Amino acid sequence: MASRSVGELQEMEGEFVSGGPAVACPNLLGRLATFPEKLVQISMDRRGESEESGDDETRRRSINGDVDPSQPPDTVKEESPVDMDTITLDPEEEDIDLVHCRIGKIEGLEVLQKAKTLSLRQNLIKKIENLDGLTSLRELDLYDNQIRKLENLHGLADLELLDVSFNLLRKVEGLERLTRVKKLFLLHNKIGSIANLEHFTGLEMLELGSNRIRVIENLDTLSSLQSLFLGTNKITKFQNLDGLHNLSVLSIQSNRITKIEGLQNLLNLKELYLSHNGIEVIEGLENNKKLTTLDIAANRIKRIENISHLTDLQEFWMNDNQIDNWSDLDELKNAKSLETVYLERNPLQKDPQYRRKIMLALPSIRQIDATFIRF
């Protein structure tokens, strides 16, 4: 896994795949793949903002160009919603892309009785409405709009994927009848707590990154959950994860975690992402023997320790810490499949023989930091 890039993702099942053009609309820019929080940090860095910044209109205007910070926001021309009569819909199409069409209101979609996927990304939608008739819908994408409330979705009983990322939601609600949803994306909203998810017993992926969540809670009934993304929130402690026995991917990057704990029941965990926290000691991973990826970059760790039992490790991210002892690499010698190690911006990197010493200590390595090894 080279540096955090779109190419590293393996959870891209949420992408809307279209067999051909379903609509004709102004400013159609094409499809954007639904991505989980695994890439949230890079995405946030590129936008130069956090969940605290809150100026969604400025973000929309600046995403494809520069905005003069000295210019008052109200002097920038607002996008005007398009008249839905200008958009051509094909009643026979199953995969509908209405991306960046400047749609201000969901209406006139009743003809799409055969639609299975509907993408309304990057529009000007303020309210979820007029979707009850689309009973065949399996995937609904409302990413990057101006929606403040989850509502009027009860008629979509067969929905399997819902993406309402990059909106203005403050809480999770109105989803009680969507019992078949497997993937739920609520990235970058203003959600303050994890709640009202108990009916999602078949949920496999939950994306709540870049919100305002302080406590991990109310996940007990999500026994099918495989991937949980909570990066860029305000979480201070691992807790209430014991019931997630099928969890294989856990990401809590960019929070306020200081201690690795509470993971002892996650026996099937394979990928753990803890970068950009305040962790000082590697510990609490005794039962997580299936880990293949461990990311604890950008913390306050001084030693590589307590991971010699992680024999399945393939990727180890430890850059931007305080490692200064070469003997610490002995902790990784039992990981015979280890291929990628990130140790840059540790005191070790000051050694002129930095790369050579890593290769000698870990013969299976194929990539050191962002550079592949040439043989």
Side-chain angles (χ1 to χ4, degrees):
M1 180 170 69
S3 60
R4 294 290 187 270
S5 65
V6 174
E8 90 174 40
L9 274 190
Q10 297 179 0
E11 294 88 0
M12 298 295 286
E13 300 93 335
E15 182 176 0
F16 285 90
V17 180
S18 174
V23 298
C25 67
N27 300 324
L28 182 61
L29 298 183
R31 299 187 306 274
L32 297 177
T34 299
F35 57 89
E37 174 270 335
K38 204 169 182 181
L39 298 182
V40 168
Q41 191 61 50
I42 288 298
S43 178
M44 294 300 97
D45 291 344
R46 288 175 179 170
R47 288 175 168 84
E49 65 183 32
S50 73
E51 80 279 9
E52 296 288 341
S53 64
D55 190 347
D56 293 273
E57 287 304 318
T58 299
R59 173 171 58 79
R60 287 191 180 88
R61 291 193 294 270
S62 65
I63 193 169
N64 289 317
D66 296 328
V67 172
D68 184 354
S70 64
Q71 186 179 31
D74 57 359
T75 64
V76 181
K77 186 177 180 181
E78 297 286 341
E79 279 192 290
S80 300
V82 71
D83 187 339
M84 284 294 293
D85 291 341
T86 66
I87 297 177
T88 303
L89 301 174
D90 181 358
E92 299 300 317
E93 186 59 55
E94 294 185 353
D95 303 295
I96 312 299
D97 282 337
L98 291 169
V99 177
H100 206 282
C101 291
R102 294 187 290 120
I103 295 171
K105 182 178 181 180
I106 301 175
E107 58 184 348
L109 303 182
E110 296 82 5
V111 299
L112 303 176
Q113 293 298 307
K114 296 183 179 181
K116 293 183 178 179
T117 68
L118 173 60
S119 180
L120 291 165
R121 282 182 169 232
Q122 295 181 307
N123 282 290
L124 307 172
I125 298 167
K126 291 181 168 58
K127 183 177 182 179
I128 303 173
E129 57 187 338
N130 300 321
L131 292 173
D132 285 352
L134 306 185
T135 54
S136 296
L137 212 57
R138 299 293 185 273
E139 301 181 0
L140 176 60
D141 190 344
L142 293 164
Y143 179 107
D144 197 2
N145 280 281
Q146 302 168 23
I147 298 167
R148 295 182 178 274
K149 185 178 181 180
L150 290 170
E151 59 185 337
N152 301 320
L153 290 166
H154 53 271
L156 307 182
D158 291 331
L159 205 64
E160 297 178 355
L161 182 150
L162 176 62
D163 189 345
V164 199
S165 300
F166 282 89
N167 279 278
L168 303 171
L169 304 175
R170 292 189 178 275
K171 58 182 178 179
V172 182
E173 60 185 342
L175 304 178
E176 291 77 12
R177 298 189 185 181
L178 305 186
T179 57
R180 297 189 181 183
V181 168
K182 295 181 179 179
K183 301 180 189 298
L184 179 60
F185 299 87
L186 298 172
L187 168 70
H188 202 287
N189 280 280
K190 299 178 180 181
I191 297 170
S193 63
I194 304 173
N196 302 319
L197 297 173
E198 58 274 2
H199 59 285
F200 283 126
T201 54
L203 193 66
E204 297 175 359
M205 177 184 289
L206 176 58
E207 165 61 86
L208 280 167
S210 290
N211 279 286
R212 298 174 179 178
I213 296 167
R214 296 180 181 273
V215 179
I216 303 174
E217 59 185 342
N218 300 320
L219 298 174
D220 299 344
T221 62
L222 308 186
S223 56
S224 298
L225 198 64
Q226 298 174 16
S227 301
L228 175 61
F229 300 94
L230 293 168
T232 318
N233 278 286
K234 301 178 181 181
I235 298 167
T236 60
K237 184 179 181 180
F238 286 105
Q239 56 187 328
N240 303 317
L241 293 168
D242 291 348
L244 305 182
H245 300 295
N246 289 310
L247 200 67
S248 62
V249 179
L250 175 60
S251 178
I252 309 188
Q253 300 175 347
S254 300
N255 275 276
R256 302 172 183 178
I257 302 290
T258 58
K259 183 179 178 64
I260 304 175
E261 60 184 345
L263 305 179
Q264 61 274 5
N265 287 341
L266 305 184
L267 303 182
N268 291 307
L269 198 63
K270 292 185 177 180
E271 300 179 26
L272 179 59
Y273 301 92
L274 303 175
S275 67
H276 297 88
N277 279 284
I279 299 167
E280 297 183 355
V281 178
I282 304 175
E283 60 186 338
L285 301 175
E286 291 78 14
N287 293 351
N288 310 116
K289 297 179 181 180
K290 293 185 180 180
L291 279 175
T292 60
T293 298
L294 178 58
D295 180 359
I296 40 180
N299 279 283
R300 302 172 184 172
I301 298 169
K302 296 181 179 179
R303 292 200 60 194
I304 302 174
E305 58 186 339
N306 302 320
I307 58 170
S308 60
H309 62 289
L310 302 181
T311 58
D312 290 341
L313 268 186
Q314 299 173 14
E315 302 184 13
F316 181 62
W317 297 66
M318 178 55 87
N319 51 283
D320 297 280
N321 278 287
Q322 302 170 28
I323 309 303
D324 60 4
N325 194 331
W326 283 106
S327 65
D328 284 8
L329 294 186
D330 290 344
E331 282 287 309
L332 298 168
K333 286 188 174 181
N334 294 332
K336 303 301 182 182
S337 298
L338 187 65
E339 294 188 351
T340 301
V341 169
Y342 273 72
L343 288 168
E344 59 189 344
R345 293 183 295 278
N346 278 283
L348 287 181
Q349 194 180 23
K350 297 178 181 179
D351 192 317
Q353 300 295 314
Y354 169 72
R355 289 180 61 84
R356 181 173 180 272
K357 287 186 176 181
I358 293 175
M359 288 187 286
L360 288 173
L362 306 170
S364 64
I365 288 295
R366 296 294 178 267
Q367 180 182 336
I368 298 174
D369 302 329
T371 306
F372 286 97
I373 296 173
R374 295 183 179 181
F375 293 96

